[in-house]
Amino acid sequence: MGEQWRAQFDAEVSFANGGGLRTEGFRLDIPGREITDDDLAALFVRHLGLLMVADVRISAKTIIEEPHKGGRGAAVEGSGADRRLVELSHVINDGMTTLPGWPGPRITEWLTFAASRERYAPDTEFHVARIDMIANTGTYLDTPAHRWAGRDDLTGVSLDRLADLPGVVVRVPAGIRAVDRLMLAPYEVAGRAVLLHTGWDAHFGTERYGAPEAPYLTGDAAQALVDAGAAVVGIDSINIDDMSPAAAGVRPAHSTLLAAGIPIVEHLTGLDALPPTGFRFTAAPPMVAGVGTFPVRAFAVVNP
């Protein structure tokens, strides 16, 4: 364990709704040897859970090298301070290709900094962009309304299907196209975000990304995920279904998962940076009524 520090201080608190609080010789864990009175006051308020605080005056402050005792102020070992966030989304750029042959987004300016100056006070300016795009752009979420008329759209899928889900990564060996039921058999998927790591995201933005040999999930495997109670299913390939000419436009994975109310996240990336389990997954789109798909900022939280 490295050096740990605590502050000893007196505090005088006044509340916005009247009244006050005084402490003497209070000790509090702090993140390092140096801390300002303002930062210490914020830690003190958070530690005690004080509401409607108008002002905190710190006095008689001394810094002591002493093991942390725990609390809601400074992070201590095991608190999750070492967690990391893993980006799982592609960047959306002007004119980019997500699905070959489908239009790319157009990103322009609706209000420039220069044009905004006449609307605001001197030295105050703003920029507002405009994006014209189809909903299937970048890394996006499919809801049941994407496949089935009258089913839940972006406003109808609850957050417990989209955010802070325990995740599991299914590693698909190189050269394997069809992710079948047997490949999923070793994994516990109930209530989890099941992310299929094929490595096909390496071809994103190139002609090869839409090639017939792109990996996919079979209809039988999709049914297995439904039966096992998966919460959401994602893939880092061009489509969760087989897009080769042999498939003749049939979409059994989409049909099965979305019929069961299981959202799909397509065009993921960065799954190689995730552990097999032990992470939380989020892919939440805005609530747009009447729309069945939309780009998401997909990411994972990995705790040590």
Side-chain angles (χ1 to χ4, degrees):
M1 181 183 299
E3 294 179 340
Q4 293 186 343
W5 303 90
R6 307 186 80 212
Q8 179 175 302
F9 57 95
D10 299 342
E12 183 176 350
V13 182
S14 59
F15 295 96
N17 59 340
L21 174 71
R22 294 177 60 90
T23 68
E24 295 181 357
F26 196 92
R27 291 196 180 188
L28 185 64
D29 298 349
I30 58 177
R33 187 172 185 173
E34 305 292 335
I35 189 168
T36 66
D37 286 356
D38 286 344
D39 288 342
L40 182 58
L43 287 178
F44 176 71
V45 169
R46 190 181 315 144
H47 178 76
L48 295 183
L50 300 176
L51 301 178
M52 300 186 72
V53 173
D55 185 54
V56 179
R57 295 183 180 180
I58 301 293
S59 60
K61 180 179 70 177
T62 58
I63 306 300
I64 303 164
E65 185 176 1
E66 185 175 75
H68 284 171
K69 307 301 182 184
R72 288 173 288 187
V76 298
E77 280 191 285
S79 69
D82 294 329
R83 72 175 189 166
R84 59 188 176 94
L85 296 173
V86 180
E87 178 66 67
L88 303 176
S89 300
H90 289 287
V91 175
I92 295 178
N93 291 306
D94 179 62
M96 67 179 284
T97 297
T98 299
L99 296 162
W102 293 39
R106 305 307 306 173
I107 303 175
T108 57
E109 293 178 310
W110 181 80
L111 182 67
T112 67
F113 282 120
S116 76
R117 292 168 192 155
E118 65 186 40
R119 301 186 178 204
Y120 301 100
D123 299 321
T124 303
E125 59 186 23
F126 295 94
H127 176 269
V128 180
R130 174 171 178 165
I131 304 178
D132 296 281
M133 68 180 185
I134 62 171
N136 291 39
T137 296
T139 302
Y140 57 79
L141 180 95
D142 293 343
T143 67
H146 177 51
R147 172 63 180 85
W148 302 103
R151 294 293 301 273
D152 286 339
D153 61 9
L154 295 171
T155 69
V157 178
S158 62
L159 282 174
D160 60 6
R161 287 280 189 174
L162 306 172
D164 197 33
L165 291 162
V168 57
V169 176
V170 177
R171 308 287 187 199
V172 180
I176 297 295
R177 288 197 64 228
V179 180
D180 59 17
R181 178 186 290 262
L182 190 60
M183 191 173 295
L184 299 175
Y187 299 92
E188 175 58 53
V189 303
R192 296 175 181 265
V194 182
L195 308 182
L196 308 179
H197 176 212
T198 71
W200 203 252
D201 58 317
H203 306 300
F204 186 83
T206 71
E207 291 185 5
R208 182 162 172 73
Y209 191 62
E213 60 268 27
Y216 66 95
L217 182 72
T218 68
D220 187 48
Q223 186 61 56
L225 291 172
V226 171
D227 295 341
V232 63
V233 181
I235 191 169
D236 60 359
S237 185
I238 188 171
N239 200 299
I240 203 163
D241 273 298
D242 185 3
M243 289 185 63
S244 69
V250 178
R251 297 290 186 264
H254 274 92
S255 300
T256 301
L257 293 172
L258 296 179
I262 299 176
I264 300 166
V265 186
E266 293 179 305
H267 312 284
L268 286 164
T269 189
L271 296 180
D272 57 316
L274 293 180
T277 58
F279 63 91
R280 312 289 295 190
F281 176 76
T282 293
M287 296 176 67
V288 184
V291 175
T293 67
F294 207 82
V296 294
R297 184 74 178 266
F299 64 90
V301 179
V302 182
N303 288 309

